[in-house]
Amino acid sequence: MTQVNGQLTLTGRSIRFVTAHACDHSLVSARRSPRSLVVSRRVLLRTTITTGAAGVLAAVAGCGVRLQEDAPEIPFLTRQKSPDEDLLLAAYHRENALAAATALATSPDPALTDVLRQASNRHSEHSRVLRAILSTAGVPDHLIDPPAAATSATSPRPVGSLTPLTSTGTTSSTPTVPAPVPTDVILGLASVASSSTVTDAIDTASTYRLQLASVAAHAGILAVVLGAPQTVARLPGAAAGRLLPPLRAAAYAVEVAIPRLPASDRVAAVTLLAWLRARERVWVTAAGPSAPVALLGYTLPGPVTSPETAVTTVRAALGAMIADCFRSLDLPLGATGELTPMVTALVATQIDLLRHSLDWGMPLRAFPGLSAA
């Protein structure tokens, strides 16, 4: 902190203070001798600096100043993190990795390769939306997209790295075609992005719980498609109670559709119905006395008069369940009394619904449960 030509400089930031007719009776007394009117330079500097610093603190407190991460360090000023910043950054980086890997996916099964390549577009959309949230919140670019660290000959390459290395261990400057990415690498990335470690952490989110849970569910269905085992988790009572009405409506629609379905689709419909009824029994137990009473009938998505309309009805019922699955995530933190398993259980439920939707030829979409099914 220095003073030059009437300016007070704090850690590389110049702040000018203009004081008119300032009078401190402890420093100046008109009834003393004229000599007493001369204020020592040391006292004047100390007073000016103290007053100036107090002014800066008052301004900062009143305006809620937020500094960039790379701003010069000032002891009493730090950048405030935006809501859910750490969770959003981690999800953004995971989605970037999945988008890059699935774009280069390769498999002996051409159909699976096509599914993975299509998934790249959805992961890219997730990345775009998450980055927009972070950027709008004022998160510095160097935190959103950190500069790539130099790779040394002794350090291991990241799993799934697409950048070729020279024989000396440095990154090659010669343009090369990126190598195809095998499915086991993509499975590893998707499994991490949908793991219970990730979904349990989302329970702490204050603002973007829905978006983060949806992204995790999309990674989870990708892992299941690649052979990961299905995860089953117990829904908290409040969430189960909320999901019972749409679940019963979906089961009712499937029951009505089964007699009209083509013979080739009836086995899948019976399997889906059995899963829905099994979930109903579990959720009724979880909801306890607060479980809503089942109705005798529910509104169908449309008339069921032909094999085509029957298939449409089953797909619409599944789409409605997918859209309703994350409804409980808007509950305030702690409202269920057992929030910790909330996201993990709902993500597992959503993955199950998405798996059934694939059986019925429904396309996956970015942000499942938030976008139109």
Side-chain angles (χ1 to χ4, degrees), residues 65-153:
V65 173
R66 291 173 58 183
L67 297 181
Q68 292 186 354
E69 189 74 21
D70 57 350
E73 182 178 353
I74 300 177
F76 49 83
L77 294 179
T78 56
R79 187 183 72 83
Q80 299 173 5
K81 286 189 176 182
S82 59
D84 306 331
E85 180 177 318
D86 291 338
L87 294 171
L88 290 167
L89 282 170
Y92 170 69
H93 296 148
R94 287 192 296 266
E95 288 303 299
N96 273 347
L98 280 166
T102 50
L104 299 170
T106 183
S107 167
D109 182 358
L112 180 57
T113 299
D114 186 56
V115 167
L116 295 175
R117 298 285 177 92
Q118 292 176 18
S120 178
N121 295 329
R122 297 190 293 275
H123 289 297
S124 296
E125 175 66 7
H126 295 163
S127 294
R128 185 190 66 78
V129 172
L130 293 173
R131 196 189 196 291
I133 293 173
L134 290 163
S135 182
T136 301
V139 179
D141 286 343
H142 78 271
L143 289 181
I144 301 176
D145 294 302
T151 305
S152 68

Side-chain angles (χ1 to χ4, degrees), residues 17-317:
F17 297 96
V18 180
T19 307
H21 305 294
C23 180
D24 187 338
H25 292 284
S26 67
L27 298 178
V28 182
S29 175
R31 296 183 179 180
R32 297 290 183 92
S33 64
R35 184 186 182 97
S36 65
L37 295 176
V38 179
V39 182
S40 73
R41 181 174 179 273
R42 178 177 302 174
V43 172
L44 182 58
L45 280 175
R46 184 168 61 247
T47 304
T48 303
I49 291 171
T50 303
T51 305
V56 171
L57 287 172
V60 169
C63 300
V65 173
R66 291 173 58 183
L67 297 181
Q68 292 186 354
E69 189 74 21
D70 57 350
E73 182 178 353
I74 300 177
F76 49 83
L77 294 179
T78 56
R79 187 183 72 83
Q80 299 173 5
K81 286 189 176 182
S82 59
D84 306 331
E85 180 177 318
D86 291 338
L87 294 171
L88 290 167
L89 282 170
Y92 170 69
H93 296 148
R94 287 192 296 266
E95 288 303 299
N96 273 347
L98 280 166
T102 50
L104 299 170
T106 183
S107 167
D109 182 358
L112 180 57
T113 299
D114 186 56
V115 167
L116 295 175
R117 298 285 177 92
Q118 292 176 18
S120 178
N121 295 329
R122 297 190 293 275
H123 289 297
S124 296
E125 175 66 7
H126 295 163
S127 294
R128 185 190 66 78
V129 172
L130 293 173
R131 196 189 196 291
I133 293 173
L134 290 163
S135 182
T136 301
V139 179
D141 286 343
H142 78 271
L143 289 181
I144 301 176
D145 294 302
T151 305
S152 68
T154 57
S155 62
R157 294 185 70 194
V159 175
S161 175
L162 309 180
T163 306
L165 299 182
T166 66
S167 58
T168 61
T170 59
T171 302
S172 172
S173 60
T174 304
T176 59
V177 177
V181 179
T183 55
D184 60 336
V185 171
I186 299 172
L187 173 59
L189 293 171
S191 297
V192 169
S194 57
S195 66
S196 59
T197 300
V198 169
T199 54
D200 285 348
I202 295 173
D203 274 320
T204 65
S206 62
T207 305
Y208 297 103
R209 201 182 305 166
L210 283 166
Q211 291 86 342
L212 292 165
S214 179
V215 167
H218 186 278
I221 187 59
L222 182 62
V224 168
V225 167
L226 291 173
Q230 191 80 36
T231 301
V232 178
R234 183 179 64 88
L235 272 181
R242 276 194 172 195
L243 281 178
L244 275 171
L247 176 118
R248 286 166 170 162
Y252 176 80
V254 174
E255 284 179 334
V256 172
I258 285 176
R260 295 279 187 179
L261 284 171
S264 57
D265 290 331
R266 287 177 187 166
V267 173
V270 170
T271 301
L272 172 60
L273 180 61
W275 180 82
L276 290 170
R277 291 305 185 192
R279 289 294 91 197
E280 180 184 12
R281 290 190 292 272
V282 172
W283 292 352
V284 166
T285 300
S290 63
V293 177
L295 304 180
L296 295 178
Y298 294 84
T299 303
L300 293 172
V304 184
T305 57
S306 66
E308 293 76 17
T309 56
V311 171
T312 299
T313 296
V314 173
R315 290 174 175 170

